[in-house]
Amino acid sequence: MAASATTRSEIRHPLFSRIYPKINAYAEAHGALEHRAELLAHTEGRIVEIGAGSGANFRHYPPETDHVIAVEPEPRLRALAHRAAADAAVAVEVRAGRAEELPLPDDSVDGAVVSLVLCTIADVPRALAEAARVLRPGGRLFFYEHVRSTNRKLARKQRMMNTVWPLLGGGCNLTRDAEQAISDAGFTIEHSRNFDFLVNGRTSPSSPCVIGEARVQPTGNDATPVVGHT
């Protein structure tokens, strides 16, 4: 069901929405451009991008992508996304909306994109259930997220910083396991790549990342195993 009231489709982060473009520009100067291109390389048809932010992904969609519906609840970031959509090489429609209540009908898209957004969503299981709802049978979920570290020392630092980090980072949570959440939501991860996003050779609490693709898991005898992880 789509959200019917504007107040339900918006989340305001006045400080974060002002500083995020600078954060993103810094990240892109150190490798995020390549990560976004990798994330979107195999998108095609009709796509919903969940939590599109300022529209940083728009220029990376390949020609096989016919139409992107970009859903963003933060009004200042959504305004930036509208500007980015005007310069995109593919058709992009920006809409207000929340991940937990996507303004789309069932089985209406070929792919769903979550890009550095699962860390900020209040109800991740519900958001992933919404992604599954709007995906057509056989549709794919494309994900690029920073995740909880498997390094005990860095994971401890993440837990410590997570007491204040969400207040500064628009609700960003450093300790979530995006892959596990995706699997728990009924998706089969077909492939993924885990890596440290290094800036000048250094890690940060948000440096452990994963990029991958998943499908809604079939039931019964049609179920297929995970292809693999790298």
Side-chain angles (χ1 to χ4, degrees):
M1 297 290 291
S4 58
T6 301
T7 55
R8 296 181 63 195
S9 66
E10 291 195 347
I11 301 173
R12 294 181 181 273
H13 291 296
L15 175 61
F16 178 74
S17 63
R18 284 175 169 82
I19 64 175
Y20 179 74
K22 295 181 179 180
I23 295 172
N24 181 62
Y26 184 79
E28 289 188 341
H30 291 84
L33 283 174
E34 290 79 4
H35 300 159
R36 295 184 188 281
E38 178 182 350
L39 167 71
L40 302 172
H42 301 117
T43 59
E44 58 184 1
R46 184 177 170 90
I47 300 293
V48 59
E49 184 172 338
I50 302 169
S54 60
N57 280 331
F58 296 169
R59 58 176 161 156
H60 299 286
Y61 281 99
E64 293 79 8
T65 303
D66 300 323
H67 185 199
V68 177
I69 301 167
V71 178
E72 172 53 48
E74 213 293 321
R76 182 177 292 273
L77 291 177
R78 192 168 62 249
L80 295 175
H82 276 290
R83 297 179 195 173
D87 296 326
V90 301
V92 178
E93 175 188 354
V94 179
R95 298 184 186 179
R98 299 180 63 168
E100 297 93 337
E101 293 181 316
L102 292 175
L104 293 167
D106 297 355
D107 305 330
S108 59
V109 295
D110 301 295
V113 172
V114 286
S115 175
L116 303 175
V117 70
L118 291 181
C119 61
T120 66
I121 294 171
D123 190 339
V124 173
R126 184 175 175 186
L128 290 170
E130 277 288 274
R133 177 184 67 79
V134 303
L135 280 167
R136 64 167 179 78
R140 288 179 291 174
L141 177 73
F142 302 85
F143 56 93
Y144 166 34
E145 299 290 338
H146 68 79
V147 296
R148 185 174 61 211
S149 178
T150 57
N151 178 286
R152 293 179 62 182
K153 184 176 180 180
L154 183 54
R156 183 165 58 249
K157 183 182 293 186
Q158 287 177 316
R159 289 193 299 271
M160 293 174 61
M161 293 191 66
N162 213 46
T163 58
V164 296
W165 190 281
L167 299 176
L168 303 174
C172 176
N173 190 310
L174 292 170
T175 59
R176 288 182 175 169
D177 186 340
E179 286 184 278
Q180 188 61 54
I182 289 167
S183 296
D184 290 346
F187 290 88
T188 295
I189 296 177
E190 297 191 318
H191 65 82
S192 63
R193 180 172 75 90
N194 295 81
F195 61 98
D196 283 330
F197 188 166
L198 302 178
V199 175
N200 297 327
R202 298 180 178 180
T203 60
S204 72
S206 61
S207 68
C209 290
V210 61
I211 292 176
E213 297 179 21
R215 292 185 189 267
V216 176
Q217 185 174 345
T219 57
N221 295 330
D222 294 329
T224 55
V226 173
V227 173
H229 299 263
T230 59

